[in-house]
Amino acid sequence: MASKIPEKALHLIINAPRVTLNSIKPLPDSYTLKVRQRRSRAKGGQSGRGNKGQGQRMTLPRLGFEGNNTPFYMQMPIEPYYQNHQMIDLGRLNTEEPIDLNTICNTGIYKIKPNDNEYGINLTDEGADLFTSRVNVEVQWAEESTIAAIERNGGMITTRFYNPECLKAVIDTQDHFRKGLPIPRCPLPPQDALEYYMNPENRGYLADPSKLQEARYALAQKYGYEAPDYSMDRNPALFKKMKDPRQIFFGLSPGWVVCLKDKAIIKPKDEDYIQYYQS
Amino acid sequence: MFSLHLRNFVRLEQKLIQNHLLSRNSSFKSGIALDKLYEKSDNHPTSSEFSRTDSKSTTEDGLAEQFTGEIPIKDISIQSCRSSGPGGQHVNKVNTKVEVRFNVNSATWIPEWVKPKLLEEQQNRVTKNGELIVTSEKTRKQILNQADCLDKIRHMIFQASRKPKELTPYELELIAKREEAAKKRNIEDKRRRSLLKMRRRGEFF
């Protein structure tokens, strides 16, 4: 059986319109449509703009303006909550090392403003049901359910205070070292916060270590999970690392000056300085 | 702000802690290091000082065993499923309802004398096989609902371990007196009533 395609093609050519001036058209991008002038009887006169005023004179204010009172879109304050940061899941934080404020600020996607009286991180319990990572985390404030969520996955959480000077050093460490400032000695928290940080139930850094075990067990009983056993962990070194109450960086003592250019650490020799930083 | 209070949780003494204490060290020690703040406290207790409470332990007086508030998590079964009620996508997808179940008779952590009372009081929650089922969908979080379930279980067991108040002889005397007086009053009232009815009828004895 002969193919019908040549026949169809011939049929198309025979019945195609003749090439004339009105049957050809340039490519769409090469021409622009002319604006239609509204010239008929109905569209003339004020041309649909009304009489006098801002409407006719093209002096209307911007969209959303409400006559100089605070417009609707400016009534609500900006509260930039961090959503979908997923620092652990996306590998920005290493769970095999202790996580503290310094580590979180080093990711570059979390900002703290000490000048706005912000003292650090308050770890909320949002997503507590989905959390499955084993971490050693140090924050500034944590609720009971947050502590439970972390400990039931075998992790450890401590709450720790930084004063504004230490906070600046912790948030932007490079800037602090570039200025040639020594590592500050962190003072005790103020009176109203001291109670919080000395309470083992809040996992405060100044709490009695022997009471911490009890608090962990009590919380495990309350929330219904097995209390964490850090000594039997596959990486006990993770939980052994600890910071002194005056210390703000792991492995570095207060009073040291870190010179980034020479890649050296300058330690104080003067007796007064040594005594001050050791106290 | 919603908060869960442990209604009847008894402070667990050192008896229940099994874990070995982790020795933590920092590279720098200041004047307010934890070792110096808490010199006197026992930072490194040995495991021999701790022992688990055993409800099975024999005591001279069987009724002396008390439920301390401890629930061994390994011996109970915790399951989660989806909650009911409004809530859109969250309630449709997330397992926030928690169900805790355990067999009452085979539970070693409940004193023996409490079990029959518990089964009687909570018969609506007990299955044919003797399993007590407690559910909670109080909050939006599974972790809090689980805590609520355990709280409810503790409350039930403490309710079942309530003993009737032991009355002194003076109190017993007082009660007997009052019961007698009440009986007398009852009889007198009845007599008065019947006399009144007879008068109304016009009967005179």
Side-chain angles (χ1 to χ4, degrees):
Chain A
M1 198 155 63
S3 168
K4 285 198 176 172
I5 293 169
E7 279 180 36
K8 280 186 181 171
L10 202 64
H11 182 77
L12 274 172
I13 293 166
I14 289 164
N15 293 318
R18 198 172 262 226
V19 174
T20 55
L21 274 175
N22 56 5
S23 67
I24 56 174
K25 187 172 157 182
L27 287 173
D29 272 351
S30 65
Y31 66 87
T32 50
L33 286 167
K34 252 177 146 180
V35 173
R36 271 182 63 237
Q37 288 297 325
R38 298 147 100 225
R39 293 268 183 262
S40 62
R41 182 176 74 157
K43 307 265 164 56
Q46 284 94 3
S47 312
R49 297 201 113 223
N51 259 322
K52 303 182 189 179
Q54 286 177 327
Q56 191 172 38
R57 292 169 180 153
M58 279 177 66
T59 46
L60 277 169
R62 65 177 186 277
L63 190 66
F65 186 70
E66 291 176 18
N68 239 353
N69 55 274
T70 318
F72 174 74
Y73 69 91
M74 287 175 75
Q75 291 268 1
M76 279 70 73
I78 297 172
E79 299 260 9
Y81 299 125
Y82 294 96
Q83 290 185 351
N84 305 318
H85 255 166
Q86 294 172 304
M87 290 198 221
I88 293 171
D89 294 335
L90 297 176
R92 290 188 197 263
L93 291 176
N94 184 10
T95 51
E96 300 298 322
E97 293 284 321
I99 295 169
D100 70 338
L101 183 58
N102 185 259
T103 333
I104 290 169
C105 289
N106 284 344
T107 60
I109 54 172
Y110 190 84
K111 302 270 179 340
I112 290 190
K113 300 165 214 157
N115 290 334
D116 280 355
N117 286 345
E118 289 180 6
Y119 275 82
I121 297 171
N122 169 7
L123 201 58
T124 53
D125 61 357
E126 199 179 316
D129 295 342
L130 308 167
F131 191 72
T132 51
S133 308
R134 191 182 109 269
V135 284
N136 178 4
V137 70
E138 189 193 73
V139 285
Q140 277 61 56
W141 199 274
E143 290 171 11
E144 192 189 65
S145 40
T146 322
I147 297 169
I150 290 174
E151 290 189 345
R152 79 169 173 177
N153 290 308
M156 184 194 266
I157 176 166
T158 48
T159 48
R160 199 239 146 74
F161 173 80
Y162 289 121
N163 83 330
E165 187 199 349
C166 293
L167 203 64
K168 285 180 184 165
V170 165
I171 290 164
D172 200 347
T173 319
Q174 257 198 341
D175 193 53
H176 186 88
F177 290 155
R178 272 203 209 112
K179 287 178 189 167
L181 298 167
I183 296 170
R185 177 191 88 137
C186 192
L188 283 173
Q191 272 191 341
D192 53 1
L194 191 63
E195 212 185 293
Y196 180 87
Y197 291 107
M198 289 191 72
N199 195 350
E201 282 174 27
N202 300 324
R203 308 294 184 269
Y205 72 122
L206 298 170
D208 193 345
S210 57
K211 290 192 182 155
L212 270 175
Q213 277 286 88
E214 216 179 282
R216 281 190 195 119
Y217 191 84
L219 199 72
Q221 276 293 299
K222 180 173 176 181
Y223 282 86
Y225 57 88
E226 293 286 330
D229 191 353
Y230 304 120
S231 54
M232 304 299 276
D233 197 76
R234 59 180 157 85
N235 182 12
L238 169 66
F239 300 108
K240 277 189 175 168
K241 256 187 173 178
M242 187 174 96
K243 272 196 258 184
D244 186 86
R246 294 260 191 238
Q247 194 184 8
I248 60 173
F249 299 118
F250 282 110
L252 298 175
S253 303
W256 292 357
V257 176
V258 175
C259 183
L260 293 171
K261 199 172 177 187
D262 301 336
K263 295 188 182 164
I265 293 176
I266 303 158
K267 302 183 189 180
K269 278 189 179 168
D270 192 78
E271 279 294 321
D272 290 336
Y273 278 126
I274 292 169
Q275 210 176 23
Y276 171 73
Y277 285 116
Q278 286 282 337
S279 60
Chain B
M1 170 76 181
F2 172 73
S3 62
L4 283 171
H5 294 292
L6 268 176
R7 284 174 272 191
N8 294 309
F9 197 53
V10 175
R11 198 100 266 246
L12 307 166
E13 307 279 317
Q14 288 166 335
K15 284 181 194 174
L16 298 161
I17 302 164
Q18 271 185 324
N19 304 332
H20 304 288
L21 228 81
L22 190 70
S23 58
R24 303 181 75 200
N25 294 305
S26 61
S27 61
F28 168 71
K29 284 256 156 81
S30 71
I32 57 162
L34 290 176
D35 297 349
K36 289 175 192 164
L37 287 178
Y38 301 106
E39 264 174 23
K40 289 177 189 171
S41 78
D42 203 359
N43 278 336
H44 299 283
T46 53
S47 51
S48 60
E49 286 173 42
F50 298 121
S51 61
R52 225 155 207 276
T53 49
D54 197 355
S55 305
K56 271 189 181 169
S57 63
T58 50
T59 49
E60 284 168 18
D61 179 11
L63 291 173
E65 283 172 39
Q66 279 290 324
F67 177 60
T68 51
E70 194 223 344
I71 300 175
I73 309 301
K74 286 181 191 165
D75 298 344
I76 59 173
S77 135
I78 302 173
Q79 285 152 16
S80 65
C81 58
R82 280 172 285 211
S83 290
S84 60
Q89 198 177 51
H90 192 272
V91 81
N92 292 343
K93 291 186 158 189
V94 180
N95 290 351
T96 45
K97 179 175 178 180
V98 173
E99 184 190 84
V100 173
R101 46 166 83 203
F102 63 93
N103 193 309
V104 177
N105 285 319
S106 61
T108 54
W109 44 280
I110 307 175
E112 293 295 320
W113 59 277
V114 173
K115 287 179 188 176
K117 238 191 155 182
L118 179 68
L119 287 167
E120 196 204 306
E121 281 181 7
Q122 308 299 337
Q123 53 186 289
N124 293 332
R125 292 187 217 252
V126 178
T127 64
K128 258 191 266 179
N129 304 328
E131 271 198 329
L132 179 66
I133 303 175
V134 177
T135 60
S136 171
E137 42 178 2
K138 197 171 186 177
T139 70
R140 296 187 60 176
K141 288 201 162 55
Q142 188 213 59
I143 192 174
L144 296 175
N145 287 342
Q146 196 169 308
D148 187 41
C149 278
L150 294 176
D151 192 29
K152 281 183 184 172
I153 292 171
R154 284 192 189 102
H155 182 67
M156 283 175 207
I157 299 172
F158 278 120
Q159 288 280 88
S161 351
R162 274 183 314 180
K163 287 177 199 160
K165 187 182 169 188
E166 283 168 16
L167 298 164
T168 60
Y170 170 72
E171 282 176 331
L172 285 165
E173 232 187 88
L174 210 67
I175 288 166
K177 253 197 222 174
R178 285 177 186 163
E179 279 179 355
E180 246 195 78
K183 274 185 200 163
K184 261 193 186 174
R185 237 182 288 133
N186 237 1
I187 292 165
E188 273 174 33
D189 276 345
K190 285 191 152 187
R191 282 213 187 113
R192 215 178 289 138
R193 197 98 226 132
S194 73
L195 278 174
L196 182 69
K197 296 263 177 102
M198 283 188 346
R199 263 182 230 133
R200 284 178 187 165
R201 259 185 267 133
E203 282 176 30
F204 291 100
F205 45 91

